[in-house]
Amino acid sequence: DAMVIQNPRYQVTQFGKPVTLSCSQTLNHNVMYWYQQKSSQAPKLLFHYYDKDFNNEADTPDNFQSRRPNTSFCFLDIRSPGLGDAAMYLCATSRGGGGGPYEQYFGPGTRLTVT
Amino acid sequence: LAKTTQPISMDSYEGQEVNITCSHNNIATNDYITWYQQFPSQGPRFIIQGYKTKVTNEVASLFIPADRKSSTLSLPRVSLSDTAVYYCLVPPGRSSNTGKLIFGQGTTLQVKP
């Protein structure tokens, strides 16, 4: 089945130690999104890629970066994680282009713990 | 992007119909109305989307009045497995390359036996 895969499902990192979360998709969608969801809060969009074009949300901290080496993969890099970055990180994909909005397909998320 | 307001929580019993209303007073002409469902420790899942009047699929119905300033998600005959958070969103439509989603607080629906 076509899907959005996130690895790992659980990640523990130390305060200040860089960490990378990965997302892959078999849907061949143009657009890939990264959301942060803290406990009992709604998902918050960090940034998205439309093909190779990166679109950062205005309030996303510089500590968060992303890479999309090809259509299928997208990475979230947290350069110096703080305790406040502990959260569920959700990757999503959708078709793009005029004629939307298109349904977003979410992965299961990676739960990040910062110690 | 249009801001949405919905009840923080709702309770229901198995077998009942549940209606969740969302207010989006400053919805733009180009915006659609979209609902997602999220279970604990899972990513959100698309339920239904519409622009005006009524949309129905195998899971839910979406009612949108003529002024489009509110919408109602209707879940027929809920079961315990419908216990989840339901998000109402208003992403931009056809003029946008991406349907960027800005999530509001959502409605936590608790279905009781």
Side-chain angles (χ1 to χ4, degrees), chain A residues 2-4 24-33 49-52 68 70-74 92-97 102-106:
Chain A
M3 57 198 306
V4 181
S24 64
Q25 55 132 339
T26 60
L27 295 159
N28 203 32
H29 284 164
N30 317 61
V31 192
M32 295 187 78
Y33 309 81
Y49 274 94
Y50 183 88
D51 292 328
K52 294 183 179 180
R68 189 180 186 186
N70 54 52
T71 300
S72 300
F73 286 86
C74 196
T93 74
S94 76
R95 293 170 54 195
Y102 297 105
E103 175 182 347
Q104 289 192 19
Y105 294 79
F106 284 80

PDB file of all heavy atoms in Angstrom, chain A residues 2-4 24-33 49-52 68 70-74 92-97 102-106:
ATOM      1  N   ALA A   2       0.442   2.261  -0.744  1.00  0.00           N
ATOM      2  CA  ALA A   2       1.124   3.546  -0.738  1.00  0.00           C
ATOM      3  C   ALA A   2       1.004   4.167   0.639  1.00  0.00           C
ATOM      4  O   ALA A   2      -0.054   4.113   1.261  1.00  0.00           O
ATOM      5  CB  ALA A   2       0.501   4.459  -1.782  1.00  0.00           C
ATOM      6  N   MET A   3       2.116   4.752   1.091  1.00  0.00           N
ATOM      7  CA  MET A   3       2.069   5.250   2.448  1.00  0.00           C
ATOM      8  C   MET A   3       3.173   6.249   2.738  1.00  0.00           C
ATOM      9  O   MET A   3       4.048   6.490   1.907  1.00  0.00           O
ATOM     10  CB  MET A   3       2.166   4.079   3.410  1.00  0.00           C
ATOM     11  CG  MET A   3       3.404   3.220   3.213  1.00  0.00           C
ATOM     12  SD  MET A   3       3.262   1.589   3.987  1.00  0.00           S
ATOM     13  CE  MET A   3       2.838   1.998   5.651  1.00  0.00           C
ATOM     14  N   VAL A   4       3.087   6.827   3.957  1.00  0.00           N
ATOM     15  CA  VAL A   4       4.086   7.741   4.480  1.00  0.00           C
ATOM     16  C   VAL A   4       4.743   7.044   5.671  1.00  0.00           C
ATOM     17  O   VAL A   4       4.048   6.613   6.592  1.00  0.00           O
ATOM     18  CB  VAL A   4       3.444   9.073   4.919  1.00  0.00           C
ATOM     19  CG1 VAL A   4       4.510  10.031   5.448  1.00  0.00           C
ATOM     20  CG2 VAL A   4       2.700   9.714   3.747  1.00  0.00           C
ATOM     21  N   SER A  24       9.706   9.108   4.502  1.00  0.00           N
ATOM     22  CA  SER A  24       9.694   8.675   3.114  1.00  0.00           C
ATOM     23  C   SER A  24       8.261   8.417   2.689  1.00  0.00           C
ATOM     24  O   SER A  24       7.396   8.147   3.520  1.00  0.00           O
ATOM     25  CB  SER A  24      10.548   7.425   2.917  1.00  0.00           C
ATOM     26  OG  SER A  24      10.005   6.329   3.636  1.00  0.00           O
ATOM     27  N   GLN A  25       8.023   8.508   1.391  1.00  0.00           N
ATOM     28  CA  GLN A  25       6.670   8.306   0.883  1.00  0.00           C
ATOM     29  C   GLN A  25       6.713   7.520  -0.421  1.00  0.00           C
ATOM     30  O   GLN A  25       7.647   7.635  -1.209  1.00  0.00           O
ATOM     31  CB  GLN A  25       5.992   9.668   0.658  1.00  0.00           C
ATOM     32  CG  GLN A  25       6.784  10.616  -0.240  1.00  0.00           C
ATOM     33  CD  GLN A  25       5.981  11.259  -1.319  1.00  0.00           C
ATOM     34  OE1 GLN A  25       4.912  10.779  -1.716  1.00  0.00           O
ATOM     35  NE2 GLN A  25       6.489  12.372  -1.841  1.00  0.00           N
ATOM     36  N   THR A  26       5.669   6.716  -0.598  1.00  0.00           N
ATOM     37  CA  THR A  26       5.530   5.936  -1.831  1.00  0.00           C
ATOM     38  C   THR A  26       4.367   6.458  -2.667  1.00  0.00           C
ATOM     39  O   THR A  26       3.916   5.778  -3.592  1.00  0.00           O
ATOM     40  CB  THR A  26       5.313   4.453  -1.498  1.00  0.00           C
ATOM     41  OG1 THR A  26       4.105   4.332  -0.718  1.00  0.00           O
ATOM     42  CG2 THR A  26       6.477   3.891  -0.719  1.00  0.00           C
ATOM     43  N   LEU A  27       3.881   7.647  -2.322  1.00  0.00           N
ATOM     44  CA  LEU A  27       2.709   8.212  -2.998  1.00  0.00           C
ATOM     45  C   LEU A  27       3.082   9.070  -4.194  1.00  0.00           C
ATOM     46  O   LEU A  27       2.215   9.503  -4.947  1.00  0.00           O
ATOM     47  CB  LEU A  27       1.910   9.056  -2.004  1.00  0.00           C
ATOM     48  CG  LEU A  27       1.301   8.267  -0.839  1.00  0.00           C
ATOM     49  CD1 LEU A  27       0.983   9.187   0.333  1.00  0.00           C
ATOM     50  CD2 LEU A  27       0.043   7.549  -1.292  1.00  0.00           C
ATOM     51  N   ASN A  28       4.378   9.377  -4.325  1.00  0.00           N
ATOM     52  CA  ASN A  28       4.872  10.221  -5.410  1.00  0.00           C
ATOM     53  C   ASN A  28       4.233  11.620  -5.381  1.00  0.00           C
ATOM     54  O   ASN A  28       3.970  12.210  -6.441  1.00  0.00           O
ATOM     55  CB  ASN A  28       4.637   9.560  -6.771  1.00  0.00           C
ATOM     56  CG  ASN A  28       5.598  10.086  -7.820  1.00  0.00           C
ATOM     57  OD1 ASN A  28       6.743  10.436  -7.515  1.00  0.00           O
ATOM     58  ND2 ASN A  28       5.149  10.179  -9.055  1.00  0.00           N
ATOM     59  N   HIS A  29       4.017  12.130  -4.191  1.00  0.00           N
ATOM     60  CA  HIS A  29       3.420  13.462  -4.040  1.00  0.00           C
ATOM     61  C   HIS A  29       4.481  14.552  -4.162  1.00  0.00           C
ATOM     62  O   HIS A  29       5.607  14.388  -3.708  1.00  0.00           O
ATOM     63  CB  HIS A  29       2.727  13.578  -2.681  1.00  0.00           C
ATOM     64  CG  HIS A  29       1.416  12.878  -2.628  1.00  0.00           C
ATOM     65  ND1 HIS A  29       0.784  12.581  -1.441  1.00  0.00           N
ATOM     66  CD2 HIS A  29       0.583  12.445  -3.615  1.00  0.00           C
ATOM     67  CE1 HIS A  29      -0.373  11.994  -1.696  1.00  0.00           C
ATOM     68  NE2 HIS A  29      -0.503  11.898  -3.018  1.00  0.00           N
ATOM     69  N   ASN A  30       4.051  15.709  -4.733  1.00  0.00           N
ATOM     70  CA  ASN A  30       4.986  16.823  -4.883  1.00  0.00           C
ATOM     71  C   ASN A  30       5.332  17.466  -3.554  1.00  0.00           C
ATOM     72  O   ASN A  30       6.403  18.028  -3.395  1.00  0.00           O
ATOM     73  CB  ASN A  30       4.398  18.005  -5.677  1.00  0.00           C
ATOM     74  CG  ASN A  30       3.645  17.616  -6.883  1.00  0.00           C
ATOM     75  OD1 ASN A  30       2.649  16.912  -6.800  1.00  0.00           O
ATOM     76  ND2 ASN A  30       4.082  18.105  -8.018  1.00  0.00           N
ATOM     77  N   VAL A  31       4.361  17.503  -2.649  1.00  0.00           N
ATOM     78  CA  VAL A  31       4.498  18.335  -1.460  1.00  0.00           C
ATOM     79  C   VAL A  31       4.744  17.458  -0.240  1.00  0.00           C
ATOM     80  O   VAL A  31       4.058  16.447  -0.049  1.00  0.00           O
ATOM     81  CB  VAL A  31       3.241  19.202  -1.227  1.00  0.00           C
ATOM     82  CG1 VAL A  31       3.536  20.256  -0.169  1.00  0.00           C
ATOM     83  CG2 VAL A  31       2.794  19.875  -2.528  1.00  0.00           C
ATOM     84  N   MET A  32       5.712  17.871   0.573  1.00  0.00           N
ATOM     85  CA  MET A  32       5.974  17.204   1.842  1.00  0.00           C
ATOM     86  C   MET A  32       6.029  18.249   2.944  1.00  0.00           C
ATOM     87  O   MET A  32       6.597  19.330   2.758  1.00  0.00           O
ATOM     88  CB  MET A  32       7.280  16.405   1.796  1.00  0.00           C
ATOM     89  CG  MET A  32       7.201  15.243   0.815  1.00  0.00           C
ATOM     90  SD  MET A  32       8.629  14.143   0.860  1.00  0.00           S
ATOM     91  CE  MET A  32       8.287  13.167   2.349  1.00  0.00           C
ATOM     92  N   TYR A  33       5.410  17.923   4.072  1.00  0.00           N
ATOM     93  CA  TYR A  33       5.257  18.855   5.186  1.00  0.00           C
ATOM     94  C   TYR A  33       5.864  18.262   6.456  1.00  0.00           C
ATOM     95  O   TYR A  33       5.833  17.044   6.655  1.00  0.00           O
ATOM     96  CB  TYR A  33       3.767  19.096   5.489  1.00  0.00           C
ATOM     97  CG  TYR A  33       2.889  19.482   4.323  1.00  0.00           C
ATOM     98  CD1 TYR A  33       2.398  18.517   3.444  1.00  0.00           C
ATOM     99  CD2 TYR A  33       2.497  20.805   4.124  1.00  0.00           C
ATOM    100  CE1 TYR A  33       1.565  18.863   2.391  1.00  0.00           C
ATOM    101  CE2 TYR A  33       1.660  21.160   3.074  1.00  0.00           C
ATOM    102  CZ  TYR A  33       1.201  20.178   2.212  1.00  0.00           C
ATOM    103  OH  TYR A  33       0.363  20.527   1.174  1.00  0.00           O
ATOM    104  N   TYR A  49       7.887  21.496   1.571  1.00  0.00           N
ATOM    105  CA  TYR A  49       8.541  21.518   0.271  1.00  0.00           C
ATOM    106  C   TYR A  49       7.484  21.341  -0.805  1.00  0.00           C
ATOM    107  O   TYR A  49       6.664  20.428  -0.728  1.00  0.00           O
ATOM    108  CB  TYR A  49       9.533  20.354   0.131  1.00  0.00           C
ATOM    109  CG  TYR A  49      10.907  20.618   0.680  1.00  0.00           C
ATOM    110  CD1 TYR A  49      11.236  20.255   1.982  1.00  0.00           C
ATOM    111  CD2 TYR A  49      11.885  21.212  -0.105  1.00  0.00           C
ATOM    112  CE1 TYR A  49      12.507  20.476   2.488  1.00  0.00           C
ATOM    113  CE2 TYR A  49      13.155  21.438   0.388  1.00  0.00           C
ATOM    114  CZ  TYR A  49      13.452  21.076   1.679  1.00  0.00           C
ATOM    115  OH  TYR A  49      14.715  21.296   2.183  1.00  0.00           O
ATOM    116  N   TYR A  50       7.517  22.217  -1.785  1.00  0.00           N
ATOM    117  CA  TYR A  50       6.760  21.973  -3.008  1.00  0.00           C
ATOM    118  C   TYR A  50       7.798  21.609  -4.059  1.00  0.00           C
ATOM    119  O   TYR A  50       8.545  22.457  -4.535  1.00  0.00           O
ATOM    120  CB  TYR A  50       5.964  23.205  -3.427  1.00  0.00           C
ATOM    121  CG  TYR A  50       5.126  22.964  -4.641  1.00  0.00           C
ATOM    122  CD1 TYR A  50       3.858  22.467  -4.538  1.00  0.00           C
ATOM    123  CD2 TYR A  50       5.642  23.198  -5.930  1.00  0.00           C
ATOM    124  CE1 TYR A  50       3.084  22.221  -5.660  1.00  0.00           C
ATOM    125  CE2 TYR A  50       4.890  22.956  -7.050  1.00  0.00           C
ATOM    126  CZ  TYR A  50       3.606  22.464  -6.906  1.00  0.00           C
ATOM    127  OH  TYR A  50       2.855  22.212  -8.022  1.00  0.00           O
ATOM    128  N   ASP A  51       7.858  20.355  -4.405  1.00  0.00           N
ATOM    129  CA  ASP A  51       8.978  19.807  -5.186  1.00  0.00           C
ATOM    130  C   ASP A  51      10.270  20.146  -4.442  1.00  0.00           C
ATOM    131  O   ASP A  51      10.439  19.761  -3.292  1.00  0.00           O
ATOM    132  CB  ASP A  51       8.958  20.334  -6.613  1.00  0.00           C
ATOM    133  CG  ASP A  51       7.771  19.790  -7.405  1.00  0.00           C
ATOM    134  OD1 ASP A  51       7.360  18.643  -7.125  1.00  0.00           O
ATOM    135  OD2 ASP A  51       7.261  20.493  -8.292  1.00  0.00           O
ATOM    136  N   LYS A  52      11.168  20.917  -5.067  1.00  0.00           N
ATOM    137  CA  LYS A  52      12.417  21.250  -4.397  1.00  0.00           C
ATOM    138  C   LYS A  52      12.365  22.603  -3.683  1.00  0.00           C
ATOM    139  O   LYS A  52      13.337  23.016  -3.039  1.00  0.00           O
ATOM    140  CB  LYS A  52      13.570  21.251  -5.408  1.00  0.00           C
ATOM    141  CG  LYS A  52      13.863  19.884  -5.998  1.00  0.00           C
ATOM    142  CD  LYS A  52      15.057  19.926  -6.943  1.00  0.00           C
ATOM    143  CE  LYS A  52      15.356  18.538  -7.498  1.00  0.00           C
ATOM    144  NZ  LYS A  52      16.532  18.564  -8.422  1.00  0.00           N
ATOM    145  N   ARG A  68      15.377  17.841   1.399  1.00  0.00           N
ATOM    146  CA  ARG A  68      14.601  16.923   0.567  1.00  0.00           C
ATOM    147  C   ARG A  68      15.474  16.534  -0.618  1.00  0.00           C
ATOM    148  O   ARG A  68      15.453  17.181  -1.666  1.00  0.00           O
ATOM    149  CB  ARG A  68      13.294  17.554   0.101  1.00  0.00           C
ATOM    150  CG  ARG A  68      12.385  16.530  -0.592  1.00  0.00           C
ATOM    151  CD  ARG A  68      11.072  17.143  -1.057  1.00  0.00           C
ATOM    152  NE  ARG A  68      10.184  16.114  -1.571  1.00  0.00           N
ATOM    153  CZ  ARG A  68       9.008  16.358  -2.149  1.00  0.00           C
ATOM    154  NH1 ARG A  68       8.588  17.616  -2.292  1.00  0.00           N
ATOM    155  NH2 ARG A  68       8.263  15.370  -2.589  1.00  0.00           N
ATOM    156  N   ASN A  70      15.301  14.019  -2.687  1.00  0.00           N
ATOM    157  CA  ASN A  70      14.551  13.537  -3.857  1.00  0.00           C
ATOM    158  C   ASN A  70      13.062  13.539  -3.529  1.00  0.00           C
ATOM    159  O   ASN A  70      12.673  13.890  -2.397  1.00  0.00           O
ATOM    160  CB  ASN A  70      15.023  12.134  -4.279  1.00  0.00           C
ATOM    161  CG  ASN A  70      14.977  11.135  -3.131  1.00  0.00           C
ATOM    162  OD1 ASN A  70      13.963  10.993  -2.467  1.00  0.00           O
ATOM    163  ND2 ASN A  70      16.096  10.449  -2.898  1.00  0.00           N
ATOM    164  N   THR A  71      12.225  13.140  -4.460  1.00  0.00           N
ATOM    165  CA  THR A  71      10.778  13.188  -4.266  1.00  0.00           C
ATOM    166  C   THR A  71      10.330  12.362  -3.071  1.00  0.00           C
ATOM    167  O   THR A  71       9.395  12.710  -2.366  1.00  0.00           O
ATOM    168  CB  THR A  71      10.067  12.685  -5.531  1.00  0.00           C
ATOM    169  OG1 THR A  71      10.426  13.497  -6.627  1.00  0.00           O
ATOM    170  CG2 THR A  71       8.549  12.705  -5.363  1.00  0.00           C
ATOM    171  N   SER A  72      10.999  11.254  -2.842  1.00  0.00           N
ATOM    172  CA  SER A  72      10.518  10.283  -1.863  1.00  0.00           C
ATOM    173  C   SER A  72      10.909  10.569  -0.424  1.00  0.00           C
ATOM    174  O   SER A  72      10.239  10.108   0.495  1.00  0.00           O
ATOM    175  CB  SER A  72      11.024   8.881  -2.234  1.00  0.00           C
ATOM    176  OG  SER A  72      10.566   8.509  -3.504  1.00  0.00           O
ATOM    177  N   PHE A  73      12.003  11.273  -0.223  1.00  0.00           N
ATOM    178  CA  PHE A  73      12.538  11.431   1.123  1.00  0.00           C
ATOM    179  C   PHE A  73      12.570  12.887   1.570  1.00  0.00           C
ATOM    180  O   PHE A  73      12.837  13.786   0.773  1.00  0.00           O
ATOM    181  CB  PHE A  73      13.965  10.871   1.200  1.00  0.00           C
ATOM    182  CG  PHE A  73      14.019   9.386   1.196  1.00  0.00           C
ATOM    183  CD1 PHE A  73      14.034   8.687   0.000  1.00  0.00           C
ATOM    184  CD2 PHE A  73      14.049   8.676   2.389  1.00  0.00           C
ATOM    185  CE1 PHE A  73      14.074   7.305  -0.014  1.00  0.00           C
ATOM    186  CE2 PHE A  73      14.095   7.291   2.388  1.00  0.00           C
ATOM    187  CZ  PHE A  73      14.108   6.603   1.184  1.00  0.00           C
ATOM    188  N   CYS A  74      12.362  13.064   2.870  1.00  0.00           N
ATOM    189  CA  CYS A  74      12.488  14.386   3.460  1.00  0.00           C
ATOM    190  C   CYS A  74      13.006  14.201   4.889  1.00  0.00           C
ATOM    191  O   CYS A  74      12.595  13.253   5.582  1.00  0.00           O
ATOM    192  CB  CYS A  74      11.140  15.112   3.475  1.00  0.00           C
ATOM    193  SG  CYS A  74      11.256  16.880   3.761  1.00  0.00           S
ATOM    194  N   ALA A  92       3.877  14.783   6.512  1.00  0.00           N
ATOM    195  CA  ALA A  92       2.688  14.605   5.687  1.00  0.00           C
ATOM    196  C   ALA A  92       3.036  14.887   4.234  1.00  0.00           C
ATOM    197  O   ALA A  92       4.014  15.589   3.940  1.00  0.00           O
ATOM    198  CB  ALA A  92       1.552  15.515   6.153  1.00  0.00           C
ATOM    199  N   THR A  93       2.251  14.344   3.339  1.00  0.00           N
ATOM    200  CA  THR A  93       2.444  14.597   1.919  1.00  0.00           C
ATOM    201  C   THR A  93       1.112  14.926   1.265  1.00  0.00           C
ATOM    202  O   THR A  93       0.045  14.572   1.789  1.00  0.00           O
ATOM    203  CB  THR A  93       3.042  13.383   1.196  1.00  0.00           C
ATOM    204  OG1 THR A  93       2.043  12.354   1.048  1.00  0.00           O
ATOM    205  CG2 THR A  93       4.227  12.788   1.941  1.00  0.00           C
ATOM    206  N   SER A  94       1.180  15.590   0.141  1.00  0.00           N
ATOM    207  CA  SER A  94      -0.031  15.817  -0.644  1.00  0.00           C
ATOM    208  C   SER A  94       0.361  16.068  -2.093  1.00  0.00           C
ATOM    209  O   SER A  94       1.526  16.370  -2.385  1.00  0.00           O
ATOM    210  CB  SER A  94      -0.842  17.003  -0.110  1.00  0.00           C
ATOM    211  OG  SER A  94      -0.241  18.231  -0.468  1.00  0.00           O
ATOM    212  N   ARG A  95      -0.613  15.952  -2.962  1.00  0.00           N
ATOM    213  CA  ARG A  95      -0.411  16.445  -4.314  1.00  0.00           C
ATOM    214  C   ARG A  95      -0.271  17.952  -4.233  1.00  0.00           C
ATOM    215  O   ARG A  95      -0.580  18.578  -3.213  1.00  0.00           O
ATOM    216  CB  ARG A  95      -1.616  16.090  -5.171  1.00  0.00           C
ATOM    217  CG  ARG A  95      -1.780  14.599  -5.417  1.00  0.00           C
ATOM    218  CD  ARG A  95      -3.111  14.310  -6.057  1.00  0.00           C
ATOM    219  NE  ARG A  95      -3.337  15.076  -7.283  1.00  0.00           N
ATOM    220  CZ  ARG A  95      -4.513  15.220  -7.872  1.00  0.00           C
ATOM    221  NH1 ARG A  95      -5.592  14.665  -7.352  1.00  0.00           N
ATOM    222  NH2 ARG A  95      -4.626  15.915  -8.989  1.00  0.00           N
ATOM    223  N   GLY A  96       0.186  18.564  -5.303  1.00  0.00           N
ATOM    224  CA  GLY A  96       0.299  20.008  -5.339  1.00  0.00           C
ATOM    225  C   GLY A  96      -0.183  20.540  -6.669  1.00  0.00           C
ATOM    226  O   GLY A  96      -0.601  19.782  -7.536  1.00  0.00           O
ATOM    227  N   GLY A  97      -0.110  21.860  -6.803  1.00  0.00           N
ATOM    228  CA  GLY A  97      -0.553  22.484  -8.037  1.00  0.00           C
ATOM    229  C   GLY A  97      -1.963  23.012  -7.910  1.00  0.00           C
ATOM    230  O   GLY A  97      -2.683  22.689  -6.960  1.00  0.00           O
ATOM    231  N   TYR A 102      -5.601  19.756  -1.580  1.00  0.00           N
ATOM    232  CA  TYR A 102      -5.523  18.313  -1.659  1.00  0.00           C
ATOM    233  C   TYR A 102      -5.375  17.702  -0.278  1.00  0.00           C
ATOM    234  O   TYR A 102      -4.750  18.269   0.609  1.00  0.00           O
ATOM    235  CB  TYR A 102      -4.339  17.904  -2.534  1.00  0.00           C
ATOM    236  CG  TYR A 102      -4.470  18.376  -3.967  1.00  0.00           C
ATOM    237  CD1 TYR A 102      -3.724  19.454  -4.426  1.00  0.00           C
ATOM    238  CD2 TYR A 102      -5.359  17.775  -4.847  1.00  0.00           C
ATOM    239  CE1 TYR A 102      -3.859  19.904  -5.726  1.00  0.00           C
ATOM    240  CE2 TYR A 102      -5.491  18.215  -6.148  1.00  0.00           C
ATOM    241  CZ  TYR A 102      -4.742  19.286  -6.577  1.00  0.00           C
ATOM    242  OH  TYR A 102      -4.880  19.729  -7.863  1.00  0.00           O
ATOM    243  N   GLU A 103      -5.934  16.523  -0.170  1.00  0.00           N
ATOM    244  CA  GLU A 103      -5.861  15.774   1.082  1.00  0.00           C
ATOM    245  C   GLU A 103      -4.408  15.547   1.461  1.00  0.00           C
ATOM    246  O   GLU A 103      -3.568  15.222   0.613  1.00  0.00           O
ATOM    247  CB  GLU A 103      -6.558  14.431   0.894  1.00  0.00           C
ATOM    248  CG  GLU A 103      -6.466  13.481   2.049  1.00  0.00           C
ATOM    249  CD  GLU A 103      -7.143  12.155   1.734  1.00  0.00           C
ATOM    250  OE1 GLU A 103      -7.883  12.083   0.738  1.00  0.00           O
ATOM    251  OE2 GLU A 103      -6.909  11.189   2.488  1.00  0.00           O
ATOM    252  N   GLN A 104      -4.118  15.741   2.751  1.00  0.00           N
ATOM    253  CA  GLN A 104      -2.779  15.437   3.245  1.00  0.00           C
ATOM    254  C   GLN A 104      -2.783  14.057   3.889  1.00  0.00           C
ATOM    255  O   GLN A 104      -3.699  13.700   4.618  1.00  0.00           O
ATOM    256  CB  GLN A 104      -2.320  16.487   4.257  1.00  0.00           C
ATOM    257  CG  GLN A 104      -2.021  17.833   3.615  1.00  0.00           C
ATOM    258  CD  GLN A 104      -1.304  18.792   4.539  1.00  0.00           C
ATOM    259  OE1 GLN A 104      -0.702  18.403   5.537  1.00  0.00           O
ATOM    260  NE2 GLN A 104      -1.348  20.063   4.186  1.00  0.00           N
ATOM    261  N   TYR A 105      -1.729  13.316   3.598  1.00  0.00           N
ATOM    262  CA  TYR A 105      -1.550  11.983   4.152  1.00  0.00           C
ATOM    263  C   TYR A 105      -0.427  12.063   5.190  1.00  0.00           C
ATOM    264  O   TYR A 105       0.700  12.435   4.854  1.00  0.00           O
ATOM    265  CB  TYR A 105      -1.177  10.992   3.051  1.00  0.00           C
ATOM    266  CG  TYR A 105      -2.275  10.768   2.048  1.00  0.00           C
ATOM    267  CD1 TYR A 105      -2.525  11.689   1.036  1.00  0.00           C
ATOM    268  CD2 TYR A 105      -3.068   9.623   2.111  1.00  0.00           C
ATOM    269  CE1 TYR A 105      -3.549  11.487   0.118  1.00  0.00           C
ATOM    270  CE2 TYR A 105      -4.082   9.404   1.182  1.00  0.00           C
ATOM    271  CZ  TYR A 105      -4.319  10.346   0.197  1.00  0.00           C
ATOM    272  OH  TYR A 105      -5.334  10.135  -0.698  1.00  0.00           O
ATOM    273  N   PHE A 106      -0.770  11.710   6.411  1.00  0.00           N
ATOM    274  CA  PHE A 106       0.191  11.824   7.498  1.00  0.00           C
ATOM    275  C   PHE A 106       0.850  10.485   7.802  1.00  0.00           C
ATOM    276  O   PHE A 106       0.218   9.430   7.718  1.00  0.00           O
ATOM    277  CB  PHE A 106      -0.508  12.313   8.775  1.00  0.00           C
ATOM    278  CG  PHE A 106      -0.821  13.785   8.760  1.00  0.00           C
ATOM    279  CD1 PHE A 106      -1.916  14.275   8.077  1.00  0.00           C
ATOM    280  CD2 PHE A 106      -0.002  14.679   9.439  1.00  0.00           C
ATOM    281  CE1 PHE A 106      -2.206  15.634   8.066  1.00  0.00           C
ATOM    282  CE2 PHE A 106      -0.282  16.034   9.434  1.00  0.00           C
ATOM    283  CZ  PHE A 106      -1.386  16.509   8.746  1.00  0.00           C
TER     284      PHE A 106
END
